[in-house]
Amino acid sequence: MNNSDNENLIENFEDDQQVYTNQLATLDFNQDRQGQVPIQHRFSSTKFRERLSSIDPLEWAKNIKMPENNYYAYPCSYDQAELHRQSHYIQPDQDFLDKTQATECPCCNKPLNRKRINFLTVNIWQLLVKDYGIAAPLYFTFLKFQMILFIILFCVYGIFFIKEVNETCNDLQNGVEICLTNINQQLSQEYKDACDLNTIYMFVAIDPFLSQIQCSAEQDIKNGGSGFKQTYIQVAAFFIFLMNILLPFEYEIIIRYKQIKYWDIEPVNHVTENKKSVYVRHLPYKMTAEEISQTICKAIAMNTFDQVAKKSVLFENKNSIQELVYIYDIHEINEMNIDRENSLLDFMITLEQMKELKETGMITTYTDKQIKTYKSFTLEMLDQMFKQQLKDIMFKTQKIKSYLKNGLPYTNKVIIKFESKEQRDAAYLHYRRKWYQNLLIRYEVMKEQNKLKKQQKSQVSDLTSLYSDSRTVSVDDLQIQSQPEQQARVSLFNQNTQLAKQQYDYSNKYVEQVHYQIGVKRGFRINGIFWENLGMDTFKRLKFRLKAIFTAAIASFLLMGSFELIYFYQNNPHQTDRKNTGQLSIWEKILANFLAVLVTFLSSYTTLTILGQMAKSRRSTFTEVEESIMHFFVIIQYFLIQFFPYIATFEIWEGRNKIVACYDLVTLSLHRIIFKQIFHTFHIRHTKFWLRKRKALKNFNPKRFFQGQLNQIMTPAYIAQRGRQFNMLFILTTALCLIYICPMAVLFCLGFTIYIYFWDKYAITHNYQIDKRFTIDLFSHQIKCYQIVVLPFSVYLFLRLFWRFSWVIYSVLSVGIIMIFIIIFKKAIVKFIIFKIFRLKKKNPQTEFKEQSFFKSYNKFFENLRIEQLTDILVTIFRNNENETTNKESTE
C-alpha cells in the first residue's frame, strides 16, 4: 500500500485505553492504488512478440532467479519443510531435534519446542493454557469429570442392579421359584430368558426387573422387613435422572470457574475490538466516514424511543469512527492468482525438463498430470510448451493487473470500529431488526444494485479504448499504466460513486432511504474472520450456502433413511425369532451380519458427510462455521442417530418387557461407540494430512514444488476440538441412557473415556496443531446445543421406564420448575457459586493485551494472497531477460 499515514498508524496502533488519534484509519484497496505513478521502463510490445519466437529457453532459465526464504523459493527444500512441520508440534520428534540446531521456522517464526514432556503424566493446563487459552485443556478436564461421574453412577445404581440380577438368576438356575412367577408368568419367562442369554452385559428388561424388586419388597414388608430394595432403586433412578438434567448446569459452572481462574491468561477475556465494532451491509455506495457518522446520527435521532434517540449525540463528534474498512470481493482475483501460480510452476518444470533432456537425455521432473506422458517428450514439444506457458503467464498477469487497476468489486459492506462501546451499542440497538425485515431489505437492495451494475457497465464500455489488447502484452503492462490512462480510471471511479449517490439521493429522502436499507450486525473477533468469504458476492455466498445445506440434508436423509430401514429389518423381533430358530437361509444370515456392521458405519459416515458439506458454506467467520455445524450436527447426531433406536425399542418392540429388543439396543449402541473411536483414532483430518504428505514425499523431487506449497502440504492438521467434544458427549449420553437397563454399558463407556483421554493427550502433542480460534465461547455454545436436544429425551426416557411409580410425574414437574428457574437466573447463580462459594477473583493480566486492528488484519490477509508479490517476481524475470536480450543485440 502507498498510504504512508495508514502505515504509520498501524505501526503505532495499540489498545483503546492508550491510543486516541484524530486520524481515521480507512482501508480502501482501490484508492490506495491510485497513488503516484513511478518512472517506468518502456519498450515495444511488438518487438517482444517478434522475439518470442526466437527466445532460447535455456538462456531464459539462466536469468531466472527465484527469491530465497520465500514462498516462491525454487527448487524447494525438504529440510525446510520438515522444520516447518515440526515447529507446529508441541512435542517434535526427538530424531529431528538431534539433527538440527534451528530454534524456529524462518517462514512462520514459530519456535521449535525442545523441551521434552511425558504425555501420560504432563499437567495439560500448565502445558496449554498460556499459549492456547483454556478451551483445549478444558476438554481434558471434562473427560476427567466424566470418568468420575461414571464411577459414581455405577456405584449408586449399577452395583445394586447387577447384584440383584445375579442373585435372581442363581435362584432360577438352582430351581428356586421367584415371586414374580406367581404374579406375571410372562414377565417371569422374560426374566428367565434374560438369565439364559448369559451375556457379559448382565442385565434384564426393565419391567421384569422392577416387578421382581417390587414383589420381593412386598414379601419383605409382610415378613416384617423394610422393603429397602424398592425404595433404593427408586432413589437411585431419580438420582441418575437428576444428574442427567443438571449436567449442562454443572458443565457451565466448570467452564466459568476455569475462565475466572485463568482470567489473566485467557485472550478471549480481553478482546475489545468486537465490542466496539459493527458489520454493516447494504450500503448504497462507498460512503465516507463522515457520511456514515451523520447518517447514523440522524437515523438514531428519528427513533421513536426517546431513550434511544438521545444517544444520537454520541455521533455528533467528527472523530466518532476509529476504523473504517471497506470490504471487497477478492474471491475471483484470488482464484486467478492461484491459477497463475500453478502456471508458473508448470513453466519452471518445463524448463527443468528441457535441461534434463538436453544434458542427460532423461526426464526425472514431471507433474502429476504428466506421469503417463513425460517419457515421450521431445525438445521440440517442450519448446512449444515453454512458449505457450510464457504467453499464458503474461496474459494472466496482465489480466490480474487490469483487474486491480479497474478496482476490486465493492460489496457495499464495511466494518466500522467506533471510539467507544457506547457508540456501538447505540448503533446496534437502533438498527436491530427481525429476520424477515432483513430479507425484505436484502431484496430491495439487490434490485437497486442490479440497476447500478447495468449503468456502470455502460460507462465502462465507453472507456474500452483505454485498454490495449489483453493478449498483446509488454513488461510495462505488467506494472502500471500511463498517467492519462490512470486518471481516466480514477475519473471512472468518481463517476460510479457519483452515479450511486444520485441513484439513492432522490426526493430529499436520502437519510430515510439509507436508514431503512443498511443492515447492522455485531462486530467480529479479528482472530477468525474469513475475509475472502466476508467479501464474496451475496449471490455467490447464497449459492454455496444453499448447496451445502441441501447436499447435507439430502445426504443425511438418504443415509439416515437407510440406517433406519436397516435397523428395523435387523432388530425386528420376528426377524430375531427366525434367526434364533435357524429359519434364515445362508444368504439371509450373510445379509444380516453385513447389515449389522453397515448400520453402525452409516451413522458415522453420515456425520462426516454433513461436516464436509457445512464446511463449504462460505460463512463469514470461524465462529459462524462452527456454530452452523453444531446446529445441524446436533440434530443428526443425537435425535436421528442416537435417540431413534430407543424410541423404536420402547414404543414399537416393547423393549420394556422383551430382553431381545433391549439386547439389540445395547449391542447397537456399543458397536456405534466402537466405530466412533476408530474414526476418532484415525481422524479424517490427520488421515488426509498423512496421505497428502505421503503422496508428496513418494519419489520426492524438490523441483516439483515451490517452497510454500511443500510447506503447506507438510503443515499438520488442526485438532478437531468440536468433533472430539461431540464424541465425548456422545459417550456420556449413551452411558446415561443405557444405565437404566444395562449398567455394564457404563463401564464400557468409562473404558472408552479413559482411552480417548490418553490418546488425545498424545495426539494433541504429537499429531496435530491446536486451533486458537476455537474459544471458550464456542465450547459453551456446544454445551447449550447439547442441552436443548438431550434434556427433553432424558425426561421422556425416565418417564417411559419408571411410569409405574406414582411419584415420577411429580418429581419431573418439580425438577422442570427448578430447571426453568436455573435457566432464567443461571448467570446470577453461577456468579454466586464462583465468587461467593469458591471465592475466586479476577486477576489482572501480567502481560498487556493490545487491541487488534481490522485495518491491519485485512491488509495482512491481502498480502498473504501473494498477488502483488508474484507480479513483482514475474516483472523482474521478464525485465532481466529483456535487458539481457537488448544487451546482446547492441553488442552484435
Side-chain angles (χ1 to χ4, degrees):
M1 300 300 169
N2 296 324
N3 194 327
S4 59
D5 294 336
N6 289 340
E7 295 295 333
N8 292 333
L9 180 63
I10 290 175
E11 294 176 2
N12 298 325
F13 195 91
E14 298 179 358
D15 65 311
D16 60 325
Q17 297 179 353
Q18 296 182 352
V19 174
Y20 295 92
T21 175
N22 294 325
Q23 294 181 345
L24 170 68
T26 303
L27 179 60
D28 187 342
F29 290 118
N30 294 342
Q31 183 179 356
D32 290 341
R33 286 183 176 78
Q34 296 169 16
Q36 296 181 355
V37 180
I39 300 176
Q40 302 179 49
H41 169 71
R42 309 289 301 174
F43 78 105
S44 172
S45 59
T46 304
K47 292 184 178 180
F48 176 80
R49 294 198 304 273
E50 293 175 354
R51 291 169 181 162
L52 185 61
S53 59
S54 60
I55 286 177
D56 185 357
L58 298 182
E59 290 296 327
W60 255 72
K62 294 179 182 179
N63 296 321
I64 295 178
K65 295 182 180 179
M66 301 299 289
E68 299 180 359
N69 298 324
N70 185 282
Y71 180 93
Y72 295 105
Y74 184 87
C76 64
S77 169
Y78 169 77
D79 294 336
Q80 171 59 40
E82 182 65 14
L83 174 60
H84 176 79
R85 179 174 78 94
Q86 295 292 340
S87 64
H88 283 79
Y89 293 138
I90 295 176
Q91 186 70 102
D93 297 340
Q94 184 61 49
D95 293 340
F96 176 81
L97 295 177
D98 295 339
K99 297 177 182 179
T100 182
Q101 299 298 321
T103 58
E104 66 177 17
C105 175
C107 68
C108 57
N109 298 324
K110 281 186 172 291
L112 189 64
N113 187 11
R114 292 183 173 272
K115 183 179 179 181
R116 308 308 295 172
I117 61 173
N118 186 341
F119 77 93
L120 294 174
T121 59
V122 66
N123 186 322
I124 205 71
W125 280 92
Q126 294 180 0
L127 181 66
L128 300 179
V129 69
K130 186 176 181 180
D131 296 326
Y132 303 100
I134 67 176
L138 185 61
Y139 163 69
F140 294 95
T141 299
F142 274 19
L143 286 176
K144 289 193 287 188
F145 173 78
Q146 188 165 299
M147 296 177 202
I148 297 172
L149 181 64
F150 287 163
I151 294 173
I152 293 174
L153 296 181
F154 184 78
C155 292
V156 170
Y157 184 90
I159 294 177
F160 176 82
F161 186 100
I162 294 174
K163 178 175 175 295
E164 286 299 315
V165 170
N166 284 335
E167 288 179 357
T168 304
C169 288
N170 289 334
D171 291 341
L172 289 172
Q173 291 174 359
N174 295 329
V176 179
E177 187 178 272
I178 60 176
C179 66
L180 184 60
T181 306
N182 300 325
I183 299 176
N184 192 318
Q185 188 68 33
Q186 183 179 359
L187 293 180
S188 176
Q189 185 61 39
E190 285 292 337
Y191 211 123
K192 186 176 183 303
D193 292 341
C195 295
D196 293 340
L197 281 176
N198 193 24
T199 66
I200 60 174
Y201 300 137
M202 292 181 286
F203 76 103
V204 296
I206 191 67
D207 270 4
F209 174 75
L210 292 178
S211 297
Q212 172 62 21
I213 291 289
Q214 187 175 5
C215 176
S216 61
E218 291 175 355
Q219 285 187 352
D220 184 42
I221 293 174
K222 290 180 181 180
N223 296 330
S226 60
F228 169 75
K229 292 182 178 180
Q230 184 177 7
T231 304
Y232 182 85
I233 195 64
Q234 295 179 60
V235 173
F238 179 74
F239 174 77
I240 294 173
F241 170 70
L242 189 62
M243 291 295 293
N244 205 342
I245 292 295
L246 294 177
L247 197 59
F249 179 65
E250 296 165 3
Y251 278 157
E252 186 69 18
I253 293 176
I254 297 174
I255 291 173
R256 300 311 165 196
Y257 177 87
K258 292 295 185 180
Q259 186 177 20
I260 300 301
K261 183 177 180 180
Y262 295 97
W263 183 267
D264 56 329
I265 300 177
E266 173 59 40
V268 176
N269 298 332
H270 308 283
V271 172
T272 57
E273 65 268 7
N274 61 328
K275 299 177 182 178
K276 296 166 56 180
S277 61
V278 291
Y279 169 51
V280 180
R281 300 167 297 169
H282 317 316
L283 281 179
Y285 65 94
K286 192 183 295 180
M287 303 171 67
T288 65
E290 184 177 355
E291 289 176 323
I292 292 176
S293 183
Q294 291 176 358
T295 300
I296 295 176
C297 181
K298 294 178 181 179
I300 294 178
M302 293 187 297
N303 196 291
T304 55
F305 294 96
D306 292 338
Q307 293 182 350
V308 178
K310 291 178 181 179
K311 296 183 179 181
S312 62
V313 298
L314 296 173
F315 301 91
E316 292 178 354
N317 185 6
K318 293 183 178 180
N319 297 326
S320 59
I321 296 178
Q322 191 181 71
E323 278 189 318
L324 182 63
V325 179
Y326 297 107
I327 306 300
Y328 291 92
D329 187 355
I330 305 180
H331 176 72
E332 185 174 353
I333 194 172
N334 185 33
E335 294 295 323
M336 292 163 58
N337 189 61
I338 293 174
D339 183 40
R340 180 177 61 164
E341 182 180 295
N342 294 331
S343 298
L344 178 59
L345 180 61
D346 292 340
F347 175 76
M348 300 296 293
I349 291 176
T350 300
L351 289 177
E352 293 296 330
Q353 290 173 338
M354 297 182 74
K355 285 183 186 178
E356 294 170 352
L357 192 60
K358 190 170 183 178
E359 294 174 0
T360 64
M362 181 182 301
I363 296 176
T364 59
T365 304
Y366 51 88
T367 64
D368 293 335
K369 296 179 181 180
Q370 299 173 343
I371 192 169
K372 295 182 179 180
T373 59
Y374 74 94
K375 294 182 179 180
S376 62
F377 289 166
T378 62
L379 287 175
E380 291 76 13
M381 293 173 60
L382 293 175
D383 184 69
Q384 293 297 324
M385 290 171 57
F386 164 81
K387 294 176 180 178
Q388 183 59 44
Q389 289 168 351
L390 183 59
K391 289 181 181 179
D392 290 341
I393 291 172
M394 297 190 71
F395 166 67
K396 292 173 182 177
T397 303
Q398 170 63 10
K399 186 178 179 181
I400 290 175
K401 292 301 293 184
S402 299
Y403 193 92
L404 291 175
K405 291 171 187 176
N406 191 40
L408 295 172
Y410 177 53
T411 59
N412 298 89
K413 304 172 186 176
V414 68
I415 290 180
I416 304 173
K417 183 178 176 183
F418 296 104
E419 287 287 343
S420 65
K421 183 178 180 295
E422 290 74 16
Q423 293 171 324
R424 193 294 298 263
D425 293 340
Y428 178 73
L429 183 63
H430 172 73
Y431 285 101
R432 183 177 54 187
R433 296 185 180 90
K434 301 295 184 181
W435 63 270
Y436 58 85
Q437 292 174 316
N438 287 328
L439 287 179
L440 293 175
I441 293 172
R442 179 170 295 187
Y443 174 72
E444 294 295 332
V445 170
M446 284 182 177
K447 289 199 304 183
E448 296 298 331
Q449 287 178 348
N450 288 334
K451 293 180 182 178
L452 177 62
K453 289 179 181 179
K454 291 179 181 179
Q455 296 186 36
Q456 287 176 335
K457 288 181 180 179
S458 63
Q459 290 202 7
V460 171
S461 61
D462 295 336
L463 295 172
T464 52
S465 60
L466 296 175
Y467 290 90
S468 58
D469 184 1
S470 59
R471 294 186 181 273
T472 306
V473 183
S474 67
V475 172
D476 310 315
D477 296 325
L478 301 179
Q479 298 176 5
I480 303 177
Q481 290 187 342
S482 63
Q483 185 72 30
E485 293 173 347
Q486 188 177 18
Q487 290 177 351
R489 295 184 184 281
V490 174
S491 176
L492 175 59
F493 295 138
N494 295 334
Q495 291 176 19
N496 289 338
T497 303
Q498 185 64 28
L499 176 63
K501 289 184 179 180
Q502 293 174 358
Q503 185 173 353
Y504 284 89
D505 189 10
Y506 57 90
S507 301
N508 295 322
K509 294 183 178 180
Y510 163 73
V511 174
E512 289 81 355
Q513 289 296 322
V514 176
H515 159 61
Y516 173 72
Q517 290 181 352
I518 66 175
V520 176
K521 293 179 64 176
R522 288 189 176 96
F524 308 124
R525 291 180 63 251
I526 291 179
N527 183 21
I529 294 180
F530 297 143
W531 289 108
E532 183 177 352
N533 296 347
L534 193 67
M536 187 175 292
D537 182 76
T538 303
F539 288 107
K540 290 181 181 178
R541 293 185 65 189
L542 183 63
K543 177 183 176 181
F544 279 112
R545 191 167 301 178
L546 291 177
K547 179 181 177 182
I549 292 174
F550 281 114
T551 305
I554 292 172
S556 61
F557 174 79
L558 294 176
L559 293 173
M560 289 309 304
S562 303
F563 165 78
E564 293 167 5
L565 290 175
I566 293 171
Y567 182 80
F568 269 107
Y569 173 80
Q570 182 67 16
N571 296 283
N572 190 313
H574 300 293
Q575 172 76 2
T576 304
D577 293 341
R578 292 182 63 207
K579 187 193 307 181
N580 294 335
T581 56
Q583 297 178 10
L584 292 180
S585 64
I586 295 178
W587 289 107
E588 286 179 324
K589 291 180 180 179
I590 294 175
L591 178 63
N593 293 327
F594 171 75
L595 294 180
V597 177
L598 181 63
V599 70
T600 55
F601 173 79
L602 280 177
S603 62
S604 298
Y605 185 74
T606 303
T607 60
L608 295 179
T609 303
I610 294 171
L611 292 178
Q613 290 301 321
M614 297 307 295
K616 300 176 182 179
S617 59
R618 298 288 182 175
R619 299 280 179 173
S620 300
T621 64
F622 177 82
T623 299
E624 290 183 359
V625 172
E626 292 295 303
E627 288 181 351
S628 65
I629 293 176
M630 291 175 188
H631 299 161
F632 207 105
F633 188 74
V634 75
I635 299 174
I636 303 298
Q637 172 82 344
Y638 292 110
F639 184 74
L640 294 180
I641 293 180
Q642 191 160 26
F643 297 153
F644 166 76
Y646 288 88
I647 296 173
T649 299
F650 294 117
E651 298 298 336
I652 300 176
W653 298 324
E654 300 179 357
R656 292 173 55 194
N657 302 329
K658 295 183 178 180
I659 184 61
V660 174
C662 293
Y663 179 81
D664 288 336
L665 174 65
V666 173
T667 303
L668 173 70
S669 300
L670 295 181
H671 284 178
R672 190 187 299 134
I673 291 181
I674 293 173
F675 263 80
K676 274 191 167 294
Q677 303 327 301
I678 294 175
F679 280 106
H680 184 88
T681 304
F682 305 99
H683 197 275
I684 187 170
R685 289 191 182 183
H686 183 67
T687 302
K688 283 184 176 180
F689 159 73
W690 182 81
L691 292 174
R692 188 172 62 248
K693 181 170 79 73
R694 183 175 180 271
K695 180 180 179 182
L697 299 183
K698 185 179 180 181
N699 301 323
F700 175 71
N701 188 332
K703 299 176 182 178
R704 292 180 60 187
F705 307 98
F706 292 125
Q707 185 64 56
Q709 291 177 326
L710 184 60
N711 287 353
Q712 289 179 350
I713 293 173
M714 299 287 283
T715 302
Y718 284 114
I719 190 166
Q721 287 185 246
R722 174 201 5 92
R724 275 162 163 71
Q725 283 151 205
F726 265 127
N727 180 56
M728 173 192 73
L729 294 174
F730 187 88
I731 295 175
L732 175 66
T733 308
T734 301
L736 292 177
C737 291
L738 289 181
I739 188 172
Y740 295 122
I741 60 174
C742 181
M744 279 297 295
V746 177
L747 294 184
F748 284 96
C749 293
L750 175 62
F752 289 128
T753 304
I754 295 173
Y755 165 73
I756 65 174
Y757 175 79
F758 288 105
W759 168 253
D760 283 344
K761 284 182 71 174
Y762 173 82
I764 208 170
T765 54
H766 292 76
N767 290 347
Y768 297 92
Q769 58 173 320
I770 301 175
D771 197 341
K772 296 182 181 180
R773 297 172 299 180
F774 195 93
T775 63
I776 188 68
D777 295 333
L778 278 173
F779 204 123
S780 179
H781 185 80
Q782 190 170 5
I783 297 298
K784 291 177 182 177
C785 295
Y786 167 83
Q787 176 183 6
I788 292 172
V789 175
V790 173
L791 290 187
F793 183 78
S794 301
V795 174
Y796 156 78
L797 190 62
F798 181 70
L799 290 175
R800 194 71 181 88
L801 297 180
F802 298 95
W803 184 256
R804 65 170 59 220
F805 302 116
S806 59
W807 55 266
V808 168
I809 185 64
Y810 301 106
S811 65
V812 170
L813 290 175
S814 301
V815 172
I817 294 173
I818 294 173
M819 283 303 302
I820 293 174
F821 177 82
I822 291 176
I823 292 173
I824 295 174
F825 301 101
K826 182 171 64 175
K827 289 185 179 180
I829 297 173
V830 171
K831 285 182 179 180
F832 175 80
I833 293 173
I834 292 175
F835 293 112
K836 299 299 182 181
I837 298 179
F838 294 115
R839 296 186 180 277
L840 286 183
K841 294 182 179 180
K842 295 180 180 179
K843 300 178 183 178
N844 294 325
Q846 299 177 356
T847 58
E848 185 178 0
F849 287 89
K850 294 184 177 181
E851 187 174 88
Q852 298 186 56
S853 167
F854 292 97
F855 181 97
K856 186 175 181 179
S857 175
Y858 201 16
N859 239 334
K860 185 177 180 181
F861 161 76
F862 191 78
E863 291 174 359
N864 290 339
L865 296 180
R866 305 176 301 276
I867 297 173
E868 295 176 330
Q869 178 186 355
L870 182 55
T871 299
D872 293 340
I873 292 173
L874 292 172
V875 168
T876 302
I877 292 174
F878 296 147
R879 180 181 294 172
N880 290 340
N881 280 279
E882 175 61 23
N883 292 338
E884 183 70 20
T885 304
T886 303
N887 293 335
K888 286 185 178 180
E889 290 179 353
S890 61
T891 302
E892 294 175 357

